[in-house]
Amino acid sequence: MSHLHWEPSLDTDIDSIDTQHRRIVAYINQLHDAILNEERAAVGQILDQLIDYTITHFTFEERLMEKAGYSHLAAHKTVHNSFKSGVASYKRRFDNGEDIAKQLRSGLCVWLIDHIKREDGAYVGVVKAHLGSE
């Protein structure tokens, strides 16, 4: 297990989105470090921060898509809501004393990369065109 490294293939070329995605990667890497150092309290803090930040990111991203008139916004929101439910489940399990850190980190890595490349990649053209017209 190593740090998740940002790759150019993850860039959307929308600076605000890429900055937010990189921040999520930083949280995943902080989680990695907390796992290595066996710091349960740090895992809990990072999980809380990750949940808060991701919700803020999703709200920002959805507003951009809405303003741009992205036709698949409802489906994208469904994916976001599914993610929020999954992370909330991890949070409940963590709060109940279960060691979920490695499973959470692994799942976050896979989900984030797939989400950026597939779901986010689908809206990029529409959002960039809208931003360019402002």
Side-chain angles (χ1 to χ4, degrees), residues 1-6 25-26 28-33 36 105 109:
M1 182 169 69
S2 62
H3 277 182
L4 178 60
H5 295 284
W6 188 265
V25 168
I28 292 170
N29 289 334
Q30 288 174 11
L31 181 60
H32 168 82
D33 293 342
L36 284 181
R105 187 207 172 273
C109 288

Side-chain angles (χ1 to χ4, degrees), residues 70-91:
Y70 181 58
S71 62
H72 300 289
L73 174 58
H76 202 103
K77 281 184 175 183
T78 299
V79 171
H80 284 171
N81 289 336
S82 176
F83 177 85
K84 289 188 268 189
S85 294
V87 173
S89 174
Y90 276 111
K91 173 73 172 137

Side-chain angles (χ1 to χ4, degrees), residues 29-48:
N29 289 334
Q30 288 174 11
L31 181 60
H32 168 82
D33 293 342
I35 292 166
L36 284 181
N37 295 320
E38 299 179 1
E39 297 173 331
R40 181 170 171 76
V43 169
Q45 291 172 344
I46 294 162
L47 180 55
D48 288 341

Side-chain angles (χ1 to χ4, degrees), residues 47-79:
L47 180 55
D48 288 341
Q49 292 168 353
L50 178 68
I51 289 169
D52 289 344
Y53 190 82
T54 303
I55 290 170
T56 300
H57 165 68
F58 287 166
T59 300
F60 179 85
E61 192 176 69
E62 290 167 5
R63 284 187 185 140
L64 271 182
M65 287 185 277
E66 184 175 19
K67 288 179 183 178
Y70 181 58
S71 62
H72 300 289
L73 174 58
H76 202 103
K77 281 184 175 183
T78 299
V79 171

